[in-house]
Amino acid sequence: MKPLANGFCFGEGPRWFEGLLWFSDMLDEAVHTVTLSGAVTTLPLPGHTPSGLGFRPDGSLLIVSAEDRQVLRYDGETVTPVADLANTVPANLGDMVVDDAGRAYIGSQAFEGGVIVRLDPDDAVTVVAKDLDFPNGMVITPDRRTLIVAESIGRRLTSYTIDEAGALHDRRVFADGLDGPPDGIALDAQGAVWTSMTLAHQFERITLGGTVTHRIDIGERAAIACTLGGPERRTLFLLSSADAYPERLKGTRLCQLDTVTVDVPGAGLP
């Protein structure tokens, strides 16, 4: 494991796009980019708590603002609100994945009764999954037919079939009885999921059915989120913090970004 950058407050939602690692700093009200050499740039978002990130086909960045339950759009110059989900969801927003059609799947992180909403390119909003135990990281398979979501409180990974209209069906378990609450996740070309196990202080690679093939121990730190990117998508980016609970970290700069080179490249979305 190699350090890439540090000095952040609470990093979430890492995404690889156009040669940069993008991620949210929820408590510092900003989105950062980091190059493979560790150079950092910052997009300030005063008054917002950014979480999930995703890119539409036109290259614009969608940003989930967790506490005010909004979705923002950054076009490279300005940030504008595109959807207010406050009257649609039962709890604060969390992670997000955006498909090739520009449809964004966004989790609302209720401990029980969590939902996933779909934000369409015309900014229409539809609830597409219910009764989740704190939905968190999400990925879409390379054939674009399956969405996998981490249920943190449920300590499981759950799969849905995506139909042609973008609705979710056929809920089923990808893996359960996990070592810790899963948070941010990434998918590789063999169909395995890399996930952060926040309270277990490690990142794990898990295959369908629940077999753990790899573990990356990070000591006493809390594993928050991961993604696959870099050359050939063989770089696993790891965000970790000194604590799993953001409210304890306000005003600190203890979040760090590390990398690991993996054998199996990333696949699917994001």
Side-chain angles (χ1 to χ4, degrees), residues 10-197:
F10 192 82
E12 266 285 11
R15 298 289 182 260
W16 178 258
F17 184 71
E18 293 188 345
L20 295 170
L21 192 281
W22 301 65
F23 67 94
S24 293
D25 193 334
M26 292 181 63
L27 301 182
D28 215 23
E29 300 182 351
V31 169
H32 302 292
T33 68
V34 183
T35 68
L36 288 175
S37 62
V40 178
T41 62
T42 299
L43 170 66
L45 293 169
H48 295 287
T49 49
S51 184
L53 302 177
F55 292 88
R56 281 182 164 171
D58 64 2
S60 62
L61 173 65
L62 293 181
I63 305 166
V64 166
S65 184
E67 292 185 2
D68 56 11
R69 306 181 190 183
Q70 292 186 38
V71 181
L72 314 173
R73 178 178 176 268
Y74 175 57
D75 63 5
E77 295 183 0
T78 59
V79 177
T80 54
V82 295
D84 186 338
L85 307 183
N87 294 325
T88 304
V89 299
N92 287 354
L93 304 180
D95 216 329
M96 170 173 60
V97 63
V98 181
D99 71 11
D100 302 295
R103 299 177 297 203
Y105 295 86
I106 304 160
S108 173
Q109 296 180 323
F111 286 80
E112 295 179 352
V115 304
I116 298 172
V117 300
R118 190 187 70 235
L119 174 65
D120 290 331
D122 64 358
D123 300 329
V125 175
T126 306
V127 176
V128 289
K130 297 180 179 180
D131 299 321
L132 293 155
D133 299 330
F134 206 91
N136 219 318
M138 284 179 279
V139 295
I140 294 174
T141 54
D143 63 5
R144 310 306 194 249
R145 296 294 305 277
T146 302
L147 181 145
I148 303 170
V149 57
E151 291 189 73
S152 296
I153 297 301
R155 296 201 177 198
R156 74 178 70 89
L157 300 174
T158 297
S159 297
Y160 292 90
T161 298
I162 308 171
D163 71 15
E164 294 294 330
L168 302 183
H169 305 281
D170 187 25
R171 179 175 178 168
R172 55 202 182 273
V173 173
F174 181 94
D176 60 6
L178 303 183
D179 293 330
D183 193 332
I185 65 175
L187 184 71
D188 73 21
Q190 292 181 352
V193 171
W194 279 99
T195 181
S196 50
M197 294 292 183

